[in-house]
Amino acid sequence: MTSCPCRSDDPGGVVAGSGGVGTLYRNFPTRRHLFEAVYVEEVRALSRSAEDLAELPPFDALVAWLHRFVAYVATKRALAEQLLHDSEIFTSCRTEIYAAGEPLMSRAQAAGVVRDDIGFDDVVRLISGLTMAQFPSPAQRDRVLGVALDGLRPAAATR
């Protein structure tokens, strides 16, 4: 898995610790540095979560991870907007997300439970588009996500 460039000796620890404002600014001299560290740690947690799903059936593992991805995107939109999408950090974190999700997608495709005419990037764009919508409730968001995820199944499986 590709590693996001961040303080690997203390990922998130300084932010979460109680060292005070001085410690915070000593480790993160600018607001952007702090945003990057938080963003990187969240990407790492999302990527590590893919490993937790290895025992699930392929489609269930992919769907469970995509639900985590949706939750991640929904809560990190403002943070991501603070970072430039073409920055080195954003690019390397995107690579890490793909490194976590692509194997789940490939496993589901190999099992015949996900269409083989789509790629992981197609799914990320589909899911990312859904996260841009404003839903009146989490229940509606989950229903719409379910409809989109049903579209990943081969045609015979959806009938």
Side-chain angles (χ1 to χ4, degrees), residues 27-47:
N27 288 286
F28 304 104
T30 68
R31 182 177 177 163
R32 181 177 174 86
H33 286 97
L34 174 61
F35 285 158
E36 287 175 349
V38 170
Y39 182 76
V40 165
E41 183 53 31
E42 293 297 323
V43 167
R44 286 181 176 165
L46 175 65
S47 297

Side-chain angles (χ1 to χ4, degrees), residues 21-104:
V21 174
T23 301
L24 181 66
Y25 286 115
R26 200 168 31 254
N27 288 286
F28 304 104
T30 68
R31 182 177 177 163
R32 181 177 174 86
H33 286 97
L34 174 61
F35 285 158
E36 287 175 349
V38 170
Y39 182 76
V40 165
E41 183 53 31
E42 293 297 323
V43 167
R44 286 181 176 165
L46 175 65
S47 297
R48 283 189 305 265
S49 74
E51 297 167 10
D52 300 338
L53 305 170
E55 299 301 317
L56 292 177
F59 190 78
D60 296 343
L62 177 63
V63 167
W65 190 83
L66 289 172
H67 274 279
R68 292 177 184 183
F69 179 73
V70 166
Y72 157 79
V73 171
T75 61
K76 300 303 174 242
R77 182 177 297 126
L79 185 58
E81 288 172 3
Q82 293 294 319
L83 304 173
L84 295 174
H85 284 261
D86 60 349
S87 74
E88 181 182 327
I89 295 236
F90 188 85
T91 301
S92 65
C93 288
R94 182 178 184 274
T95 300
E96 186 165 332
I97 288 170
Y98 276 62
E102 284 177 331
L104 295 170

Side-chain angles (χ1 to χ4, degrees), residues 63-71 123 126-128 130-131 135 138-152:
V63 167
W65 190 83
L66 289 172
H67 274 279
R68 292 177 184 183
F69 179 73
V70 166
V123 175
L126 171 70
I127 300 303
S128 295
L130 286 176
T131 64
F135 294 101
Q140 184 186 33
R141 182 198 64 212
D142 290 345
R143 279 193 310 276
V144 172
L145 178 59
V147 170
L149 294 175
D150 283 345
L152 301 180

